[in-house]
Amino acid sequence: MSVRTPDPDQTPDEPQRPLTPGWLSDVELEEIRHRLPILYVEAIPVRVDGLGQVTEVGILLRGTALGAMTRTIVSGRVMYGETLRDSLFRHLEKDLGPMAFPLLPASPVPFHVAEYFPLPGLSAFTDDRQHAVSLAYVVPVTGTCEPRQDALEITWLTPEEASSDAVSAEMEGGRGTLLRSALASVGALR
């Protein structure tokens, strides 16, 4: 799983110098990934009815560096000096577009803390690039989602479809387990 979102302010003539405060160059990021766990936020976009019950779950389609297609959720690093709320909003907008209109949770407490390891077997979650700790949220969206950046499309599924073995098998790094945990946390699994 090696999907890299480029710094939007990076210029081609200076590929190694980060222009955005809190952003690391590719070389710096690679070095740090081998020394420290990296903090991420992940979000499962959902649509809810008038009672706040989940009716649909948004799953992203992405291409890997090797050209394979996988299903995933909104995710990305928390930058130095960035609040969790700001990071969540930035990644939701990056992956779903500016018209998604996410309703961020009133509390920054995640439904799950997932720990990704480069070696399988240490947890249900793997990331061959690094040791990462991810704070995962269920986030209702009310607008139109138009995937951008690394996301190719978003598919809206019922909670039953999203929690199926077939969808879980298409998700990378154990995110099918995380998705099921998200649905269980909001009472959407029956």
Side-chain angles (χ1 to χ4, degrees), residues 45 60 74 91-100 102 141 144-148 151 154 156:
L60 298 170
V74 172
H91 289 294
L92 284 159
E93 186 176 79
K94 173 187 64 93
D95 285 347
L96 303 179
M99 302 304 289
V141 294
T144 304
C145 296
E146 305 250 348
R148 306 176 341 158
I154 186 166
W156 292 97

Side-chain angles (χ1 to χ4, degrees), residues 13-147:
D13 56 331
E14 296 183 51
Q16 298 303 320
R17 190 175 66 80
L19 298 175
T20 304
W23 203 266
L24 301 170
S25 71
D26 289 343
V27 172
E28 290 169 325
L29 179 60
E30 188 65 29
E31 184 178 314
I32 289 171
R33 279 184 165 151
H34 293 289
R35 294 177 182 226
L36 299 169
I38 306 292
L39 181 62
Y40 279 72
V41 290
E42 294 186 291
I44 289 107
V46 297
R47 300 233 188 250
V48 297
D49 64 15
L51 297 174
Q53 296 176 341
V54 173
T55 58
E56 293 181 305
V57 180
I59 312 241
L60 298 170
L61 177 68
R62 285 198 172 134
T64 67
L66 300 175
M69 294 297 183
T70 62
R71 296 285 176 181
T72 192
I73 57 177
V74 172
S75 67
R77 291 190 315 268
V78 177
M79 292 174 46
Y80 180 80
E82 183 177 44
T83 68
L84 293 176
R85 183 176 303 285
D86 288 343
S87 184
L88 257 177
F89 188 82
R90 179 171 58 85
H91 289 294
L92 284 159
E93 186 176 79
K94 173 187 64 93
D95 285 347
L96 303 179
M99 302 304 289
F101 300 129
L103 301 173
L104 296 181
S107 168
V109 177
F111 75 86
H112 191 83
V113 176
E115 194 168 14
Y116 292 83
F117 289 97
L119 302 172
L122 295 175
S123 81
F125 309 104
T126 60
D127 184 336
D128 59 353
R129 304 168 300 166
Q130 65 194 340
H131 176 191
V133 176
S134 177
L135 307 177
Y137 300 85
V138 175
V139 180
V141 294
T142 59
T144 304
C145 296
E146 305 250 348

